[in-house]
Amino acid sequence: MLWEQDGKLMYHYDAETMVIEPWGMNSVRVRAAKMAKPPQEDWALQMEKPQVKVEIRKEGSGMSMINGKLAVRVTDGGKLMMFNQKGELLLEEYWRNRRDLTDPKCSAIEVEAREFRPNTGGDYHVTMRLESVDTNERIYGMGQYQQPYLNLKGADLELAHRNSQASVPFAISSLGYGLLWNNPGVGRAVFGKNITSFEAYGTKVLDYWFTCGDTPAEIEEQYAAVTGTVPMMPEYGLGFWQCKLRYQTQEELLSVAREYKRRGLPLDLIVIDFFHWPKQGEWKFDPVYWPAPDNMVRELKEMGVELMVSIWPTVDKESENFGEMLEKGYLIRTERGVRVGLDFEGATIHCDVTNPEARKFLWNRVKKNYYDKGIRVFWLDEAEPEYTAYDYDNYRYYAGTDLEIGNIYPVDYARTFYEGMEAAGQGNIVNLLRCAWAGSQRYGALVWSGDIASSFDSMRNQLAAGLNMGLAGIPWWTTDIGGFHGGDPNDPKFRELFVRWFQWGAFCPVMRLHGDREPRQPQYGTTGGAHCRSGAANEVWSYGDGVYEICKKYLELREKMRPYTRKLMAEAHEKGTPVMRTLFYEFPEDKTAWTVEDEYCYGSELLVAPILEARAVTRNVYLPLGNSWILTDNDMIYEGGQWITVPVTLDTMPVFRRKRID
């Protein structure tokens, strides 16, 4: 049965109900459920729904909804197809059944496009299957995965969060559409040659949002209109951030900041990483090693340096807050076994930020011990979640691997600080996070690519990750310059990698130096977090004089670009525009631009070609059509629409300025 109701298309067959409704310009939301009406949670679609005029009409035995450039057609058998204003097919459900004998794809194999397979104990394993309508289609976005491919056609992606993997299930297609899998459950997405499929392993509803547009920018802006944009990046986000694993004492951190200023190097922010607290779950400085945080913050501010601290959600059973949080239900539960979520430097359990009261409790402790001391930005580290949590909105438990953060933890951890800081009058909010989901950007999520290897292969993976994160709606993104794991500052091979990563870092949305360097430092105390030892030095002067001079060059370049970077951040805030942009985002009419995966545009005016291999002496670069391009190292001008080979030395990375042709 197919009918119109309140401006929506409704379909019902047997136990399934499907609702198709306009949701923004050129866009619709599709929901389907079995045995009940679709649940009403909006998940990522939290912004006020843009009002649009649509036309719904009868077409043969089916019905169509026209919303701007998008036409949605549903047959009387329930098959759904979507077309653009040119009549080109963008999406077609993969039906292989005999409910409609006139369908050319009628089949006896009985495979459903919308499959609800019951799980033991409730809910469904839901699978959505779509035809792969064009074997030349290219797919981008979907968040951050540790692999080198920008084009995801042919990829098999886990929809779950892990350290260095952030699933943000919004895909942009070269055919001119965007699709958000609006379900926070753990699952899978496969962009196959024959079938595209999305799965949620435990859910009540199939839910997705679909849009079309003439350019990637139009699609991205329509997505931002329904999921939100980042706040305006504060001024300290435009320059250079210094950190390492980890500064162990107040004096050590201050000595580093003083040295940057003594050398006349730009420094906007410095980080105090984890285990600066007495115990996990005591969100404050350990007075043994950080005796005067107020004076520390004051001195840093006098130098023009902001301070960031790492916050963990883990609560040690011996911490001062454990008893009260346990009594009030502010900790996650387990259905069986011992309540330990993470055994690292103590047996701990996580704060349950799905509980609004727990969010308030955590924020109040953070406000008292950090924010009120003048520390204006927080780095929230989710660690690796393997626990059970209770969803207060839906009154249900999530087991560890069933949750794997999903919509709940990345969004709600960021929300804890966003809501608190908004209430405290801090408007421009930055949450440095290792995970995010669709919509996290509106809570000031700056995602970094996690604890990654120090290698050229890893660096290549981060380039694909950063570009696809931007297309997935998360424009604030950064990475550990030099990689996180290992790397000896005295090793010539690592110094080369460090230089190449540092050069690229100057053209990332946030330029952040971090890492756990070798060799490990000796233990410096016996109480609190002192037995969590630090890595070797990781400042720009730690890598020898030659490397230092290169770093100084790129630090000064980043500072010179501050007005330009500020403009890019304004575009991200106003329209959702990525700061790092694929070539096809800026040049969608250039067919070759869609095939280039190892260079990108930093905003609209600069083309960046990172050096992604050791001992490179040349770099092949594609220059997009319709412009001239100026190589910034020597002001040589090249015409667009061609591949060129650029000689490189260790102190240079090819960057081109766009010279528009009138």
Side-chain angles (χ1 to χ4, degrees):
M1 183 167 59
L2 179 64
W3 73 101
E4 176 187 356
Q5 179 177 309
D6 300 327
K8 305 172 186 177
L9 275 180
M10 310 291 294
Y11 171 79
H12 183 83
Y13 178 82
D14 192 14
E16 182 192 26
T17 299
M18 180 170 66
V19 180
I20 304 166
E21 59 185 310
W23 205 284
M25 186 66 69
N26 311 318
S27 309
V28 295
R29 184 182 183 186
V30 179
R31 283 178 289 175
K34 283 281 184 90
M35 305 300 292
K37 293 181 179 180
Q40 298 305 302
E41 292 84 7
D42 287 333
W43 301 123
L45 303 174
Q46 294 290 322
M47 304 303 291
E48 183 177 348
K49 183 167 61 174
Q51 297 301 308
V52 293
K53 292 183 178 180
V54 299
E55 176 187 357
I56 296 178
R57 62 192 182 207
K58 188 81 172 172
E59 288 195 353
S61 59
M63 297 185 74
S64 290
M65 173 186 288
I66 312 298
N67 179 5
K69 298 176 181 178
L70 179 64
V72 184
R73 297 178 187 171
V74 184
T75 69
D76 62 347
K79 181 177 180 177
L80 188 150
M81 293 173 286
M82 299 192 189
F83 302 82
N84 63 18
Q85 76 274 24
K86 303 172 188 175
E88 297 167 336
L89 179 64
L90 303 176
L91 176 148
E92 178 181 3
E93 289 185 324
Y94 181 92
W95 277 45
R96 296 297 186 271
N97 58 43
R98 291 190 282 196
R99 286 211 297 277
D100 182 357
L101 299 180
T102 66
D103 190 323
K105 297 183 175 70
C106 170
S107 173
I109 65 175
E110 294 297 328
V111 175
E112 296 291 328
R114 304 184 297 271
E115 179 183 272
F116 291 78
R117 185 181 303 165
N119 290 331
T120 301
D123 289 352
Y124 296 92
H125 180 149
V126 169
T127 303
M128 176 177 74
R129 298 183 179 92
L130 307 172
E131 301 278 359
S132 185
V133 300
D134 186 340
T135 57
N136 295 316
E137 180 182 24
R138 293 175 174 270
I139 299 290
Y140 305 92
M142 294 298 293
Q144 172 179 283
Y145 290 88
Q146 293 303 316
Q147 48 83 26
Y149 308 113
L150 184 63
N151 175 18
L152 300 174
K153 186 67 172 179
D156 184 338
L157 304 178
E158 180 188 38
L159 301 182
H161 294 274
R162 301 179 183 273
N163 186 335
S164 78
Q165 176 176 298
S167 170
V168 187
F170 177 64
I172 286 183
S173 167
S174 60
L175 301 183
Y177 70 82
L179 189 152
L180 168 68
W181 179 244
N182 192 35
N183 193 313
V186 171
R188 183 184 186 196
V190 179
F191 298 99
K193 184 175 181 179
N194 58 336
I195 300 175
T196 292
S197 64
F198 286 84
E199 296 177 67
Y201 297 153
T203 186
K204 289 182 170 65
V205 63
L206 184 155
D207 187 346
Y208 67 96
W209 177 86
F210 188 90
T211 192
C212 73
D214 295 330
T215 65
E218 183 179 11
I219 293 167
E220 194 74 41
E221 290 168 18
Q222 289 166 182
Y223 175 67
V226 297
T227 61
T229 64
V230 290
M232 181 59 193
M233 176 63 79
E235 192 66 23
Y236 58 76
L238 308 180
F240 175 64
W241 293 13
Q242 170 65 51
C243 51
K244 59 168 283 189
L245 193 78
R246 65 186 178 89
Y247 295 120
Q248 300 174 125
T249 67
Q250 177 175 316
E251 185 56 33
E252 181 187 10
L253 179 128
L254 284 173
S255 68
V256 169
R258 291 166 186 156
E259 183 64 13
Y260 268 96
K261 293 305 172 181
R262 186 191 72 80
R263 292 172 179 258
L265 299 175
L267 177 64
D268 276 37
L269 184 141
I270 195 166
V271 178
I272 300 174
D273 208 336
F274 67 171
F275 289 92
H276 63 271
W277 45 72
K279 288 186 180 296
Q280 292 176 77
E282 296 179 358
W283 295 286
K284 63 183 181 182
F285 290 105
D286 187 330
V288 176
Y289 310 109
W290 306 88
D294 302 70
N295 293 340
M296 174 179 62
V297 172
R298 187 179 306 112
E299 182 177 347
L300 288 171
K301 286 187 176 295
E302 288 172 355
M303 290 188 282
V305 179
E306 291 288 337
L307 179 64
M308 171 183 280
V309 294
S310 169
I311 305 293
W312 272 28
T314 45
V315 183
D316 194 302
K317 291 187 175 183
E318 298 181 1
S319 69
E320 64 185 14
N321 292 314
F322 181 83
E324 182 179 358
M325 296 182 75
L326 178 68
E327 177 184 354
K328 293 181 177 178
Y330 295 166
L331 303 171
I332 62 172
R333 285 76 146 173
T334 53
E335 292 184 338
R336 60 186 67 85
V338 179
R339 194 191 296 209
V340 174
L342 185 67
D343 189 2
F344 178 72
E345 304 291 348
T348 64
I349 197 70
H350 294 67
C351 175
D352 180 7
V353 291
T354 63
N355 182 341
E357 294 303 313
R359 293 205 298 269
K360 291 179 184 178
F361 179 91
L362 175 56
W363 165 248
N364 286 336
R365 295 300 187 277
V366 169
K367 181 178 184 298
K368 175 183 176 182
N369 295 318
Y370 298 115
Y371 177 79
D372 287 349
K373 296 182 184 299
I375 304 169
R376 314 275 294 182
V377 58
F378 299 89
W379 174 5
L380 189 70
D381 188 335
E382 291 92 22
E384 287 78 45
E386 293 181 1
Y387 44 76
T388 299
Y390 189 74
D391 180 351
Y392 279 79
D393 294 326
N394 295 307
Y395 305 102
R396 58 172 294 193
Y397 287 92
Y398 291 80
T401 56
D402 293 333
L403 175 63
E404 284 290 329
I405 306 185
N407 184 52
I408 297 171
Y409 275 83
V411 173
D412 280 358
Y413 275 136
R415 182 185 298 161
T416 300
F417 295 94
Y418 185 89
E419 291 175 345
M421 295 179 79
E422 282 280 274
Q426 173 70 0
N428 295 342
I429 294 161
V430 177
N431 282 301
L432 183 56
L433 303 164
R434 191 156 54 195
C435 283
W437 197 70
S440 292
Q441 68 275 3
R442 63 179 174 268
Y443 297 113
L446 164 59
V447 181
W448 99 96
S449 59
D451 297 347
I452 52 174
S454 294
S455 68
F456 276 103
D457 284 347
S458 176
M459 182 181 171
R460 177 67 184 85
N461 291 348
Q462 307 325 306
L463 177 58
L467 292 172
N468 274 327
M469 278 293 275
L471 291 171
I474 310 289
W476 289 0
W477 180 88
T478 187
T479 184
D480 292 355
I481 291 177
F484 176 78
H485 288 296
D488 185 339
N490 295 309
D491 179 355
K493 291 182 179 179
F494 182 66
R495 286 184 176 184
E496 180 188 7
L497 172 68
F498 178 82
V499 164
R500 294 310 191 191
W501 214 313
F502 199 91
Q503 292 167 337
W504 174 46
F507 296 89
C508 287
V510 168
M511 185 184 187
R512 173 175 166 267
L513 175 55
H514 186 53
D516 186 14
R517 304 290 174 243
E518 299 294 336
R520 309 289 299 163
Q521 300 301 293
Q523 187 170 320
Y524 64 98
T526 58
T527 63
H531 49 288
C532 185
R533 294 185 299 156
S534 172
N538 190 46
E539 292 72 48
V540 294
W541 53 83
S542 308
Y543 293 83
D545 292 343
V547 172
Y548 171 74
E549 291 300 323
I550 297 172
C551 290
K552 182 179 178 181
K553 169 186 172 181
Y554 281 88
L555 283 176
E556 292 172 349
L557 178 58
R558 176 75 183 199
E559 189 64 21
K560 185 178 179 181
M561 290 195 301
R562 183 180 288 267
Y564 178 67
T565 302
R566 188 185 301 116
K567 173 179 175 289
L568 304 187
M569 292 299 182
E571 293 172 0
H573 169 57
E574 293 162 3
K575 301 186 294 183
T577 310
V579 178
M580 292 172 62
R581 304 172 192 174
T582 57
L583 294 194
F584 66 77
Y585 193 93
E586 282 294 321
F587 306 98
E589 301 302 322
D590 186 334
K591 293 182 179 179
T592 304
W594 287 85
T595 69
V596 178
E597 300 205 349
D598 62 354
E599 56 188 86
Y600 67 97
C601 291
Y602 185 67
S604 62
E605 303 304 314
L606 296 177
L607 187 150
V608 181
I611 304 300
L612 302 171
E613 59 184 23
R615 300 178 299 280
V617 294
T618 61
R619 176 64 152 90
N620 291 331
V621 180
Y622 179 72
L623 302 175
L625 192 64
N627 304 267
S628 295
W629 295 92
I630 304 171
L631 181 59
T632 57
D633 284 328
N634 56 22
D635 289 334
M636 288 188 63
I637 300 176
Y638 300 86
E639 294 307 307
Q642 64 170 326
W643 287 92
I644 64 170
T645 299
V646 181
V648 294
T649 56
L650 185 61
D651 65 342
T652 62
M653 178 186 72
V655 177
F656 296 81
R657 293 197 312 273
R658 182 178 182 178
K659 183 180 180 182
R660 299 174 187 268
I661 298 176
D662 296 330

